[in-house]
Amino acid sequence: VRRCSSMLDFDDDLSHWPRAKSNTFLNVCPQGNKMIVERLGKLDKIQEAGWFIAIPFIDNISYVVDMREKALSITPQSGITKDNVQVRVSGNLYCQFVDAQKAAYGSKNPIYAVKQMAQSSMRAAIGELELDEILHARAKLNAIIRQTVQESASAWGVEIKRYEITDVSPDKFISEAMDQQAAAERERRKKVLEAEGDKRSAELQSEGVKIRLKNESEGTLIQITNQAEARKKQLMLEGEGEASVIRMRAQAQADAIKIIAESLSSETAREAATIAVAREYIAMYGEMGKSSNTMIFSDKPADMKVLMAQASAIIKATSDSQPTNA
């Protein structure tokens, strides 16, 4: 039963190579397999999937090659990395027979040869890389092992599809150191994040204070500007009002002078004006007598020029006597 099952299923157990099949005259090659038929100990033909006839005792089905892709488990291999760290690395090798004749005659046991080649290539690749590269750059290590194995496996009719590392286990002390390093790194990141948060919070607070002060200063500036504009308009309006009053007074005085001038054009008006001036002159004498001891009498009271001269002398005497009385 085990022999019959081995003809249908590919098993990477080393004891199952080479796989042969009994010649029953009418034979069937399963799909996905190829059979190597030898006649009198020499290669006769490579039988594809289907039925075929082989002469018993003359023809011998020496090899049954499974042409499907299979995965070979690579046991953990110990190695020393470039930075002198001992690790154990395991993986899976995915391969496929592409040439049945080379698979049968290229190596006594191609499965064993491929696995041994993968193990030695993995140890060699580990020695060329540091531990961090092995842990974080597995794709690079996978590519190196696959390329190395493929160079040798081509002679055995095997195509290496891919190689995948399944586990990397450093020794106990390195694992503990890595755990401590990871914990320290997490603590460092925590502190960095907290510091970044505090920094961002301080930046936002200072930005808020800056915006508030800026808004307050802008508000104060607007208030001062508005007050200055209001004061300016007030002064302008007051000035315009005073100018209007002065113009009105000047116009009134001009009109009065014009009317007086027109009135003095007649002889009667001149006499009336003379009487008015004399009345004012007499009133002036009365006011001067109240505040001064000096009295002036005109010998020509009817002469207006004389009266005006006397009035000027009285005003001068009054102004001279005021500091003496003080």
Side-chain angles (χ1 to χ4, degrees):
V1 176
R2 181 177 180 182
R3 183 174 179 82
C4 293
S5 63
S6 66
M7 292 188 295
L8 300 177
D9 297 326
F10 183 84
D11 192 344
D12 59 348
D13 190 355
L14 300 181
S15 63
H16 290 175
W17 187 270
R19 294 191 306 155
K21 179 183 181 301
S22 299
N23 184 2
T24 58
F25 181 72
L26 182 61
N27 302 280
V28 177
C29 181
Q31 184 69 35
N33 289 264
K34 289 184 179 181
M35 293 183 177
I36 305 296
V37 180
E38 294 179 350
R39 175 166 293 178
L40 300 177
K42 183 180 180 180
L43 174 64
D44 181 56
K45 60 182 178 180
I46 300 176
Q47 185 62 46
E48 301 287 343
W51 64 273
F52 65 97
I53 295 175
I55 302 173
F57 305 109
I58 297 178
D59 296 332
N60 184 30
I61 303 175
S62 302
Y63 300 94
V64 178
V65 182
D66 192 338
M67 306 301 291
R68 296 172 296 178
E69 181 179 342
K70 290 293 183 179
L72 303 179
S73 177
I74 306 301
T75 57
Q77 300 296 309
S78 296
I80 298 177
T81 63
K82 188 176 181 180
D83 51 351
N84 297 323
V85 177
Q86 185 175 1
V87 294
R88 292 177 61 84
V89 181
S90 60
N92 289 326
L93 180 67
Y94 298 85
C95 61
Q96 182 180 14
F97 286 111
V98 293
D99 190 327
Q101 182 176 350
K102 289 183 178 181
Y105 302 107
S107 174
K108 182 177 180 181
N109 193 331
I111 301 299
Y112 177 79
V114 167
K115 294 182 69 173
Q116 292 299 315
M117 189 65 189
Q119 292 175 1
S120 60
S121 299
M122 184 165 59
R123 286 192 294 268
I126 291 173
E128 296 177 358
L129 300 175
E130 295 183 355
L131 179 60
D132 290 340
E133 292 181 290
I134 297 174
L135 296 175
H136 300 97
R138 293 191 178 187
K140 180 180 179 181
L141 183 60
N142 292 337
I144 293 174
I145 297 174
R146 176 191 173 280
Q147 183 179 1
T148 304
V149 176
Q150 181 63 61
E151 292 176 356
S152 300
S154 298
W156 308 325
V158 180
E159 179 182 358
I160 307 302
K161 297 293 185 179
R162 57 194 177 277
Y163 184 89
E164 298 293 339
I165 294 177
T166 57
D167 185 33
V168 178
S169 302
D171 60 21
K172 179 180 178 181
F173 300 103
I174 297 298
S175 297
E176 292 178 353
M178 291 175 62
D179 292 339
Q180 294 176 359
Q181 181 181 4
E185 181 65 19
R186 286 192 294 269
E187 185 66 22
R188 185 189 67 82
R189 291 181 180 179
K190 177 183 176 182
K191 292 181 180 180
V192 169
L193 292 176
E194 291 178 351
E196 289 290 338
D198 295 340
K199 177 182 176 182
R200 184 57 180 168
S201 177
E203 289 178 352
L204 293 176
Q205 290 179 358
S206 62
E207 188 70 21
V209 173
K210 178 181 177 182
I211 294 173
R212 179 175 59 82
L213 294 176
K214 181 179 179 181
N215 292 336
E216 291 178 354
S217 61
E218 290 179 353
T220 303
L221 177 61
I222 293 173
Q223 181 181 2
I224 294 173
T225 303
N226 293 337
Q227 291 176 354
E229 289 290 337
R231 181 60 179 169
K232 177 182 177 182
K233 291 182 179 180
Q234 179 182 358
L235 295 176
M236 291 176 63
L237 293 175
E238 290 178 354
E240 291 177 357
E242 292 178 359
S244 299
V245 171
I246 293 173
R247 284 194 297 270
M248 292 175 65
R249 289 178 180 176
Q251 186 65 37
Q253 292 178 358
D255 293 341
I257 293 172
K258 182 178 180 182
I259 294 172
I260 292 172
E262 291 176 354
S263 301
L264 292 176
S265 61
S266 62
E267 188 66 27
T268 306
R270 289 193 186 96
E271 294 178 357
T274 301
I275 294 171
V277 171
R279 185 182 298 166
E280 293 292 334
Y281 184 73
I282 294 169
M284 182 184 67
Y285 271 107
E287 292 296 330
M288 291 174 61
K290 295 178 181 180
S291 58
S292 176
N293 296 326
T294 303
M295 297 298 293
I296 299 174
F297 296 98
S298 176
D299 56 348
K300 296 179 180 180
D303 193 347
M304 293 298 298
K305 295 181 179 180
V306 175
L307 291 174
M308 294 301 294
Q310 292 177 354
S312 298
I314 294 170
I315 293 171
K316 182 177 180 181
T318 303
S319 61
D320 294 338
S321 63
Q322 285 178 356
T324 304
N325 297 332

